[in-house]
Amino acid sequence: MKLCTMELEPGTRMSSKTASSDENQETEPTVHASASAEPDKQCMSVTVTHNGHLSPTNGLSNGNGAAHESVSPPSHRGQVPSEPRVGSPIALTHLDHHNHHAHSPNRHSPNSRGSSPRNPNTSSPCPAHGQTPGQGQHVVHVHVNPGETFSVRVGEQIQHIQGPATVRMVSQNGPPMPMPMAVPPGHMVQQIVDENGILTHVILSPHHPCQPHGMASPLTGPNGAPQYYPTGYGTQYPTAPSGYTPHTHPHGGHPAMAGMTATSVHHGTPPPIPCNSHTHTGPQGPPHPPQNHTTHGNERKQRTVERLQRRINTRRKETVHNATSTPPRRKLVNGDPRRNADTQSSSSSGDGQDIEDERRAIQDLLTLMKTPKISNVESRSALIELIPPECNTHPQWEIDPCEFRYELLLSGGKEGRDGKEGKYKMVYSGDATEITLKDLKPATDYHLRSCSLLDDLKGALTNPVTFRTLVCEPDTPQAPKLSTKTKTSLQLKWNSVTDNGAKISSYTLEYDQGKSNGRFVEVYNALARQYKVTKLGASTAYTFRLAANNSVGRSGYSEPVCFYTSGTAPSQPDPPMLSEQYVNLLVISWIKRPNDDAFCLQMDDELTGHGFVVIHNGPELSSQVKNLRRNTEYKFRLCAKNDEGSSKWSDAVCYKTLPDKPGTPSRPQVKGKTHSTSFRVVWDSPKDTGGCDITKYILEIDEGKGFETVYEGVEREHTCDHLLPGHVYRLRVSCASVGGLSGWSDACSVTTQSVAPGCCQSPKLQGKPKATYLHLRWAYPDYDGGSLVTDFEVQMVQPDNSMREVYRGPDLDCVVAGLMPGRSYLFQVRATNKAGTGGWSEPLEVISGPGSPDAPKPPIVSCKSPQSAIVCWEEPVNNGATVTEYRLEWQHRPETDFVQLYIGAALNHDVRGLTPATLYSFRVQASNSAGTGPFSQNCSCVTPPSSPGPVVAIKVSSTASTISLTWREPCCNGSEIASYNIDIGERHHLITTDSATEYTIIDLLPETVYRVRIQAVNGIGVGQFSQPVKVVTRALPPNPPKLECVTCGPNSLKLKWGDGKNPDLLEYTLEMAREEGSSYPVYQGTSHIHKVNRLAELTTYNFQIFASNDAGDGPYSSVYTFQTTKAPPPAIKAPKITDLALRSCRVEWQPCKPMGGDSIVYILQLQHKDQENRQIYKGTDTSYRLGELNPKTCYQVRVCAVRQCTDGTGDLTGAFSPGTAFTTLDPEPVNEAITKSAEKRILIAPKQLTDQQWAMIILLGFAAFAIIVAMLANKILSYTKQS
């Protein structure tokens, strides 16, 4: 038997399922597990035997009480998870392991909390950090990165360990040696050996794209020997996936590795992570959701991988056999162990290269797919036939054509009407070879491309195939519109419709001849889009509908529309009606007839004397007449109007407003003397009667239970009788009329006269009578006579019939002492107030009793459950009287007082509603007819622990795809909380986390409502779910706008995007591409326009834009390309005049620098007096001789440069230079000296300094000033030193 012990960190899950030929059938192997004996060691030890079963061990717990499941043999590979396989299967020399590429779901067995006896043949729990295993055992630590799965096959079972985890594997058959291992593509296995060549660590990590395969970095081994690890050990193993907080171990397991970057190097071998408690400083990545079935596509992918691996199985077995027979030893060559690292990774890299070659060959086969065939092309549909790739030429791949899938991409519609290809859009994805495309546009060119797929491989797109849909009848037109109308005609017009490839030949207009029977007759059929229908009846409704015709057929009819012809003026209407009547408002309404368009309502108020006045004018059928007087009559009449005129006025009708409710009466007052049972009240009428007479008065009285009506009538006084003496009464009054009920008057308070109180009830015995005293209690009399009771008097009739007063005072109880035990006594009581003393009550007979019982023995408490217990006690010595009842008291906490729990005659009591894991104390006392005895001694007990309480105070925050949860830890009820279960809805699986009170749910849908519930779990069981919390994820970032160029110049581009409105305050980022391919932002803000300057002429620039909001940055837009224009030549300086004569001179100017490959020519213009400039020269020379000038005449010349573009875009003319004025010589003879000086003044034009010259002058000035200052400072320093 070969043994292997694996230790996992707390929180690591180990799950599996048994695969069979039936995809929906699952079986679970039996797992024996027990909790660790020491609470500070939360580790997992699993011993795997050679027969593939898990033998019982003494520690298998993952921190939440859930056991781990084993996996069936890999012979049943029908089920493969749909997610990518990130696990790194490994085969070790001392275990019979085989490669297995699978990723089992996370499922926990519910019956895994039982314990099993210790097996002496299995390994013990993992030792503490720093200890060495037992004698003859060798430990190998396998480090698994976060998000990956480590798979180990033992006999007929596969064990899956999800990262982050450190697996401790114990070999009892000798020291383990390094050996070749097979890993999936893109991953790497790093084996760490000590100075003796014994394998100590195995690191599974993905191959870093920036690190060359086989590159190593120096580290230090566990015994101080120099080691070399690939850089991926420092960057891949301790670093968490993107978006998660790194998994750190504060006890020193990997403190240096947490948070390292991709270029960091570790010095020192990371020791194995111990099994004691771990602290997670941040939320960990979510566990993989459970999967109960796999998709058909994943099965095909698994079969493809198996076919590709079948060809390298023989070579791998030989490599494993050679590595087992001669395990590689670590040898130092001048202190460099790289030779050993190259040997370990050669086998894995060779196998991966063969698989990649096979995949490239299959992808080349998919690219050879033929173009699709198109048939049955109609106006709105077409049949597409796909031809699978030829797979008969490669029989060794065993590819079934039915496994191919296809994608169709279509381009056309508006962009493809002219036959050009537009943007392609996927219209189909599946395994069908015949597809019917529907909802196409008639008479439109379409372009179709396809590609084939096999598992995750995809071929290139085929060449486009073009087809054109057929023409069809036009679209259904819109309903015609009314232009003008008369009594006998209607002018109609309508809009054009889409012809669908065939030109519109005519429009057909039909109407129902005004019969409204649904039968239409054709009235017009021509190409014009308007028609006048004549010979119609006046004031008649006609219904029309329209259809369009072309060479293919007739379209559908439009929606019917009804129009009326003009008519005559309306006739006299009926009088207006009264709809609603109020105190200051009347609502007048009337009926509309077919020939009525508007109405005019007039009102006559006789008190004003203005006659009928217009109060409403419009098409409404009712009007509210406001601000009227109450209880007043008004006259109304109505007139109807239309386009032809107005009708006669209707007959006048009279309507009256309602009266108003009266005012509040005066406050009632008492009339005469107030008696003990009656009194008389009077009141005055209100000042405002509301416009009508008062019909009745209402009087209400309140005796402390609310107001009640005691009188209704027209009289203004009333006698209230049958009252209580000494009682306070409140009265109020109101009045009523036709207008309504008035408000209540102010209340009046009246107090009746008081009398002597009534008889009291017989006194009551307070407690049991004692042997020598007793306690009496009595109550107030039922009737106090209308005045407060001031004193009570108690008398006692002794056994010898003598009477004695035992108490007088205001209290309601007293203690009567000096009694004899077992004697009969009579007691009476009476009350006294300010009006007198009442009668004696009925007597109370009392017999004095014996002594109280002794204290009982301490009660016995037995806990039945965490929430209930039973308390039992024995009967004490009764001291001559039978015990009648027991009083049980309990104490929740030592610092609180005892509280009564039970009182009765039973000798036990069932206590419920206890708190789990809480200390309780109980005591009991007995009572008999003589009294109550002392309490017993206290008895204490502790209730057992229970499942945790519900989670409360949940706080949430969400993004577009995540929800972050934090909550308050609930009551653990005596057992520490191990994990939490999170439920986000019926369509989602239950999420299990560790004991942290925060968690982030990822991969959610944006703008979706989730109901979150949280449940706590401890060693006893699961608690109740919390109240659901409704959470809505945010929206996705916005899409990019369309970019366009508004103005294009030689050195700038003015760009515009969007429609100029930004209600959502989106922020736009405009980026421009560099020559090397990268891009940089040129604008960022909320504007919709930006000008990019400092550009080169005639240069193409690429731009991209994206929008941002609170949800984040949106996607980039497509690349937009814009080009600058050519620049015109610069302006030339003013020309110079030389060789001035009577009729000629020479003009010279500076040449312009060449611009690219274009030639430069010059234009010279001459101006004489007020004439316009005229061109006298155009050429490439920079001077020109002017002739045929007039003597002693003033002229002005200017010159400009012209750029002659060789690309055919035309010439670009620059700005003209400043004009140079000159005057020809005078023909009269003059002094030669004077002539020369004048000529010199004329020829020497004022010359202005350039910017460079001014800069040089300023620089020289500053230099001179600095030299002078330095000299002065030197002189001052010299003078200071001398002095």
Side-chain angles (χ1 to χ4, degrees):
M1 176 181 298
K2 297 181 180 180
L3 301 179
C4 174
T5 301
M6 295 181 290
E7 286 184 10
L8 305 182
E9 296 179 342
T12 305
R13 293 171 179 81
M14 186 173 180
S15 59
S16 66
K17 66 180 179 180
T18 303
S20 63
S21 58
D22 187 1
E23 295 183 356
N24 298 325
Q25 181 180 359
E26 294 185 5
T27 61
E28 297 185 1
T30 303
V31 179
H32 302 280
S34 63
S36 177
E38 299 181 15
D40 58 340
K41 293 184 178 181
Q42 301 177 3
C43 60
M44 174 180 294
S45 299
V46 180
T47 302
V48 186
T49 61
H50 71 284
N51 56 3
H53 297 282
L54 291 174
S55 63
T57 61
N58 57 355
L60 190 142
S61 174
N62 62 351
N64 55 7
H68 303 283
E69 302 170 7
S70 60
V71 178
S72 62
S75 58
H76 305 287
R77 298 184 180 179
Q79 297 181 356
V80 180
S82 59
E83 57 186 276
R85 295 182 298 274
V86 297
S88 301
I90 178 172
L92 301 179
T93 56
H94 58 284
L95 294 174
D96 297 333
H97 293 179
H98 301 281
N99 295 310
H100 178 71
H101 298 271
H103 193 154
S104 62
N106 295 327
R107 296 188 296 107
H108 300 280
S109 174
N111 55 353
S112 59
R113 293 194 294 268
S115 61
S116 59
R118 182 182 299 272
N119 189 348
N121 296 328
T122 60
S123 61
S124 60
C126 57
H129 181 58
Q131 295 181 357
T132 58
Q135 186 66 23
Q137 295 182 353
H138 298 272
V139 179
V140 178
H141 294 277
V142 179
H143 304 277
V144 185
N145 282 334
E148 300 187 7
T149 301
F150 170 61
S151 304
V152 179
R153 178 175 178 180
V154 183
E156 298 297 330
Q157 303 236 347
I158 297 295
Q159 301 291 339
H160 298 282
I161 300 103
Q162 295 183 358
T166 298
V167 183
R168 181 176 180 270
M169 307 188 71
V170 181
S171 173
Q172 298 179 351
N173 299 329
M177 301 299 176
M179 58 172 291
M181 300 180 184
V183 295
H187 288 70
M188 60 187 302
V189 174
Q190 304 157 23
Q191 305 181 52
I192 314 302
V193 297
D194 59 5
E195 67 277 2
N196 298 323
I198 299 176
L199 184 65
T200 59
H201 292 270
V202 176
I203 298 97
L204 308 179
S205 61
H207 185 66
H208 198 277
C210 300
Q211 176 69 26
H213 188 67
M215 182 67 67
S217 60
L219 295 173
T220 305
N223 298 327
Q227 299 290 334
Y228 282 81
Y229 303 96
T231 308
Y233 175 82
T235 60
Q236 297 294 331
Y237 171 70
T239 304
S242 176
Y244 297 94
T245 306
H247 181 178
T248 62
H249 302 274
H251 51 70
H254 296 279
M257 294 191 296
M260 295 299 292
T261 60
T263 59
S264 62
V265 178
H266 291 277
H267 297 280
T269 303
I273 299 176
C275 313
N276 52 4
S277 60
H278 296 259
T279 301
H280 300 276
T281 60
Q284 301 299 316
H288 296 282
Q291 301 176 2
N292 298 326
H293 63 278
T294 57
T295 59
H296 183 64
N298 288 331
E299 293 179 2
R300 294 198 303 267
K301 185 175 181 180
Q302 179 66 20
R303 290 197 296 271
T304 302
V305 174
E306 290 178 357
R307 288 197 300 267
L308 297 177
Q309 289 183 346
R310 195 178 298 126
R311 302 181 60 183
I312 62 175
N313 282 340
T314 303
R315 182 175 57 186
R316 180 183 300 173
K317 291 179 180 179
E318 294 176 357
T319 304
V320 173
H321 176 72
N322 295 334
T324 305
S325 59
T326 57
R329 295 284 183 170
R330 179 180 180 276
K331 298 180 179 180
L332 291 175
V333 181
N334 295 330
D336 188 359
R338 299 175 183 173
R339 184 179 304 173
N340 187 28
D342 296 339
T343 305
Q344 295 173 1
S345 60
S346 60
S347 174
S348 175
S349 60
D351 295 343
Q353 185 64 33
D354 293 342
I355 294 177
E356 291 298 327
D357 294 342
E358 296 284 351
R359 291 170 60 87
R360 283 195 293 269
I362 294 176
Q363 190 169 7
D364 294 340
L365 173 64
L366 298 178
T367 307
L368 299 178
M369 180 182 177
K370 297 183 180 180
T371 57
K373 296 182 179 180
I374 304 175
S375 60
N376 297 341
V377 179
E378 299 180 359
S379 59
R380 300 184 185 275
S381 64
L383 178 63
I384 311 300
E385 297 180 5
L386 302 177
I387 303 175
E390 294 289 342
C391 56
N392 298 332
T393 58
H394 301 80
Q396 69 277 11
W397 287 340
E398 302 179 4
I399 298 178
D400 187 359
C402 298
E403 299 181 0
F404 289 114
R405 292 183 295 109
Y406 309 95
E407 290 183 358
L408 285 182
L409 287 85
L410 185 67
S411 173
K414 182 177 180 181
E415 297 179 354
R417 283 187 177 273
D418 54 356
K420 296 181 180 180
E421 294 186 39
K423 185 178 181 180
Y424 281 90
K425 181 181 180 182
M426 181 183 295
V427 295
Y428 173 76
S429 177
D431 55 359
T433 57
E434 292 187 359
I435 303 99
T436 300
L437 299 180
K438 297 182 179 181
D439 297 333
L440 302 179
K441 295 182 181 180
T444 305
D445 291 333
Y446 287 93
H447 307 275
L448 184 69
R449 304 179 74 178
S450 64
C451 67
S452 58
L453 299 91
L454 180 63
D455 300 334
D456 58 340
L457 301 178
K458 181 176 180 180
L461 294 173
T462 62
N463 294 328
V465 180
T466 304
F467 66 95
R468 184 180 181 86
T469 54
L470 303 179
V471 298
C472 67
E473 64 277 358
D475 292 344
T476 301
Q478 297 179 357
K481 301 177 182 178
L482 179 64
S483 179
T484 58
K485 68 176 181 178
T486 62
K487 292 183 178 180
T488 59
S489 65
L490 293 172
Q491 180 76 25
L492 304 180
K493 62 180 180 179
W494 53 87
N495 299 327
S496 59
V497 297
T498 305
D499 56 6
N500 288 334
K503 187 177 181 181
I504 301 295
S505 59
S506 63
Y507 293 93
T508 301
L509 180 66
E510 296 181 353
Y511 79 124
D512 63 349
Q513 298 179 340
K515 300 178 180 180
S516 301
N517 55 3
R519 299 179 180 178
F520 290 87
V521 177
E522 181 178 319
V523 68
Y524 170 75
N525 192 348
L527 190 58
R529 294 199 302 275
Q530 63 179 359
Y531 180 69
K532 184 177 183 181
V533 185
T534 58
K535 299 180 181 181
L536 304 179
S539 300
T540 307
Y542 292 90
T543 303
F544 296 88
R545 67 179 185 181
L546 181 68
N549 307 306
N550 62 5
S551 60
V552 179
R554 176 176 293 181
S555 69
Y557 284 96
S558 66
E559 292 291 334
V561 61
C562 181
F563 302 113
Y564 284 85
T565 55
S566 301
T568 60
S571 60
Q572 181 181 8
D574 295 332
M577 301 174 292
L578 178 64
S579 297
E580 299 180 22
Q581 186 180 17
Y582 301 97
V583 176
N584 302 106
L585 183 143
L586 294 176
V587 179
I588 309 298
S589 63
W590 51 88
I591 300 175
K592 181 179 180 181
R593 298 169 296 179
N595 202 23
D596 298 339
D597 292 340
F599 302 91
C600 179
L601 180 66
Q602 291 184 349
M603 183 186 71
D604 179 18
D605 187 359
E606 295 181 353
L607 295 180
T608 60
H610 299 307
F612 282 97
V613 178
V614 177
I615 58 175
H616 174 77
N617 197 349
E620 292 79 14
L621 299 181
S622 64
S623 175
Q624 290 186 357
V625 185
K626 302 180 180 179
N627 301 324
L628 303 180
R629 296 185 298 277
R630 63 186 181 185
N631 200 22
T632 306
E633 193 176 68
Y634 297 89
K635 294 182 180 180
F636 298 91
R637 66 180 182 179
L638 181 69
C639 172
K641 300 179 182 179
N642 62 10
D643 295 340
E644 307 300 330
S646 302
S647 68
K648 296 181 180 180
W649 291 101
S650 67
D651 297 334
V653 291
C654 296
Y655 298 117
K656 189 177 182 180
T657 56
L658 296 176
D660 198 0
K661 63 181 180 179
T664 303
S666 64
R667 177 181 177 182
Q669 297 181 359
V670 178
K671 181 180 181 181
K673 182 180 179 180
T674 301
H675 302 280
S676 60
T677 58
S678 66
F679 56 82
R680 188 173 186 82
V681 293
V682 296
W683 59 86
D684 296 333
S685 59
K687 297 181 181 180
D688 182 12
T689 61
C692 59
D693 296 334
I694 301 298
T695 58
K696 65 176 180 179
Y697 291 93
I698 302 172
L699 177 65
E700 289 188 351
I701 189 171
D702 178 19
E703 59 181 8
K705 300 179 181 179
F707 283 96
E708 296 180 356
T709 303
V710 295
Y711 170 74
E712 289 187 7
V714 296
E715 299 296 334
R716 290 186 284 109
E717 64 178 52
H718 177 69
T719 300
C720 300
D721 51 7
H722 302 92
L723 305 178
L724 298 176
H727 196 75
V728 178
Y729 293 91
R730 300 174 66 244
L731 298 99
R732 65 180 184 179
V733 66
S734 69
C735 58
S737 66
V738 179
L741 185 66
S742 70
W744 293 100
S745 66
D746 297 335
C748 171
S749 297
V750 180
T751 304
T752 57
Q753 295 292 333
S754 60
V755 295
C759 296
C760 297
Q761 295 182 0
S762 60
K764 304 295 183 182
L765 183 64
Q766 180 70 16
K768 295 295 181 180
K770 306 300 179 181
T772 59
Y773 67 94
L774 57 82
H775 188 191
L776 293 179
R777 178 178 291 275
W778 55 89
Y780 285 97
D782 295 337
Y783 176 63
D784 59 359
S787 178
L788 295 176
V789 175
T790 58
D791 291 305
F792 292 95
E793 183 180 352
V794 181
Q795 72 175 2
M796 179 180 65
V797 179
Q798 299 182 7
D800 57 355
N801 293 329
S802 62
M803 296 184 181
R804 181 170 64 94
E805 182 180 301
V806 296
Y807 175 76
R808 179 186 292 271
D811 295 334
L812 295 177
D813 63 340
C814 70
V815 176
V816 182
L819 304 180
M820 293 181 293
R823 303 299 175 91
S824 177
Y825 295 89
L826 296 178
F827 296 92
Q828 290 179 307
V829 64
R830 63 180 180 179
T832 303
N833 65 2
K834 66 180 181 179
T837 302
W840 290 102
S841 67
E842 292 293 330
L844 170 67
E845 184 178 3
V846 180
I847 299 175
S848 59
S852 60
D854 294 342
K857 294 182 179 180
I860 301 175
V861 183
S862 300
C863 295
K864 298 192 299 183
S865 67
Q867 290 82 20
S868 63
I870 184 169
V871 183
C872 303
W873 58 88
E874 296 179 1
E875 182 178 358
V877 179
N878 55 23
N879 290 330
T882 303
V883 176
T884 58
E885 65 181 10
Y886 297 89
R887 179 180 299 174
L888 179 65
E889 293 184 353
W890 66 340
Q891 185 184 40
H892 293 265
R893 290 183 296 272
E895 63 272 14
T896 60
D897 297 331
F898 279 86
V899 180
Q900 180 176 312
L901 176 63
Y902 165 77
I903 183 170
L907 295 176
N908 58 68
H909 179 64
D910 192 5
V911 185
R912 300 182 181 276
L914 302 179
T915 304
T918 305
L919 175 65
Y920 290 90
S921 299
F922 299 87
R923 66 181 182 180
V924 65
Q925 67 176 174
S927 301
N928 59 7
S929 58
T932 303
F935 281 97
S936 65
Q937 295 182 2
N938 299 340
C939 176
S940 302
C941 72
V942 179
T943 55
S946 178
S947 57
V951 178
V952 296
I954 301 176
K955 297 182 181 180
V956 298
S957 61
S958 62
T959 62
S961 61
T962 63
I963 296 177
S964 298
L965 303 173
T966 58
W967 59 90
R968 186 187 304 168
E969 182 177 357
C971 180
C972 63
N973 289 334
S975 179
E976 185 178 0
I977 295 177
S979 62
Y980 293 90
N981 295 330
I982 302 177
D983 180 23
I984 61 175
E986 297 178 357
R987 299 182 179 179
H988 301 271
H989 299 286
L990 202 65
I991 301 174
T992 302
T993 67
D994 53 8
S995 59
T997 58
E998 59 182 6
Y999 187 78
T1000 300
I1001 307 173
I1002 63 172
D1003 298 333
L1004 302 179
L1005 299 177
E1007 295 183 290
T1008 306
V1009 179
Y1010 293 90
R1011 298 185 180 273
V1012 181
R1013 300 186 304 166
I1014 303 177
Q1015 178 188 53
V1017 182
N1018 62 5
I1020 305 302
V1022 297
Q1024 297 180 358
F1025 273 104
S1026 65
Q1027 293 295 329
V1029 178
K1030 183 178 179 182
V1031 186
V1032 181
T1033 54
R1034 296 184 178 180
L1036 292 174
N1039 294 325
K1042 183 179 179 181
L1043 191 65
E1044 59 181 352
C1045 183
V1046 179
T1047 305
C1048 181
N1051 301 110
S1052 63
L1053 292 173
K1054 190 174 184 181
L1055 304 181
K1056 179 183 179 183
W1057 56 88
D1059 53 358
K1061 299 178 180 179
N1062 192 6
D1064 297 332
L1065 298 178
L1066 300 180
E1067 183 174 354
Y1068 300 95
T1069 302
L1070 179 66
E1071 294 185 358
M1072 184 174 70
R1074 293 188 176 95
E1075 295 180 358
E1076 63 272 13
S1078 61
S1079 60
Y1080 65 99
V1082 297
Y1083 172 76
Q1084 188 172 8
T1086 58
S1087 178
H1088 288 264
I1089 191 168
H1090 180 69
K1091 184 176 182 181
V1092 185
N1093 298 316
R1094 299 180 180 180
L1095 303 180
E1097 67 168 358
L1098 201 63
T1099 305
T1100 301
Y1101 294 92
N1102 296 328
F1103 296 89
Q1104 281 184 306
I1105 191 172
F1106 67 91
S1108 305
N1109 61 4
D1110 295 338
D1113 297 338
Y1116 278 94
S1117 66
S1118 57
V1119 178
Y1120 294 88
T1121 302
F1122 304 108
Q1123 187 178 10
T1124 55
T1125 59
K1126 284 189 175 182
I1132 302 176
K1133 296 182 179 180
K1136 298 179 181 180
I1137 306 298
T1138 59
D1139 299 336
L1140 183 64
L1142 291 177
R1143 294 182 178 272
S1144 65
C1145 68
R1146 176 172 293 277
V1147 181
E1148 297 179 353
W1149 57 88
Q1150 293 182 358
C1152 184
K1153 295 181 180 180
M1155 305 180 70
D1158 300 335
S1159 58
I1160 302 296
V1161 297
Y1162 303 93
I1163 295 177
L1164 181 63
Q1165 291 185 353
L1166 178 66
Q1167 183 182 16
H1168 174 51
K1169 293 184 179 180
D1170 296 332
Q1171 297 179 359
E1172 295 181 357
N1173 289 298
R1174 58 186 180 89
Q1175 179 176 334
I1176 59 176
Y1177 171 76
K1178 182 177 182 181
T1180 59
D1181 296 335
T1182 58
S1183 63
Y1184 180 74
R1185 182 74 180 183
L1186 294 178
E1188 299 180 359
L1189 301 178
N1190 296 327
K1192 200 178 180 181
T1193 305
C1194 182
Y1195 292 91
Q1196 186 176 5
V1197 292
R1198 64 178 184 177
V1199 66
C1200 72
V1202 179
R1203 180 178 181 179
Q1204 294 182 339
C1205 300
T1206 58
D1207 54 0
T1209 58
D1211 296 341
L1212 297 177
T1213 303
F1216 277 93
S1217 66
T1220 301
F1222 67 94
T1223 303
T1224 55
L1225 299 179
D1226 190 354
E1228 298 179 359
V1230 295
N1231 191 2
E1232 183 178 359
I1234 297 176
T1235 301
K1236 289 183 179 181
S1237 62
E1239 182 178 334
K1240 186 175 182 180
R1241 287 195 304 268
I1242 293 175
L1243 294 178
I1244 299 176
K1247 184 177 181 181
Q1248 298 179 354
L1249 298 178
T1250 62
D1251 295 339
Q1252 292 81 1
Q1253 293 173 346
W1254 277 112
M1256 183 59 67
I1257 293 173
I1258 294 173
L1259 180 61
L1260 293 176
F1262 273 109
F1265 178 78
I1267 292 172
I1268 294 173
V1269 170
M1271 293 175 64
L1272 292 176
N1274 189 18
K1275 292 290 185 180
I1276 293 173
L1277 290 176
S1278 300
Y1279 179 78
T1280 303
K1281 290 180 180 180
Q1282 291 177 1
S1283 60

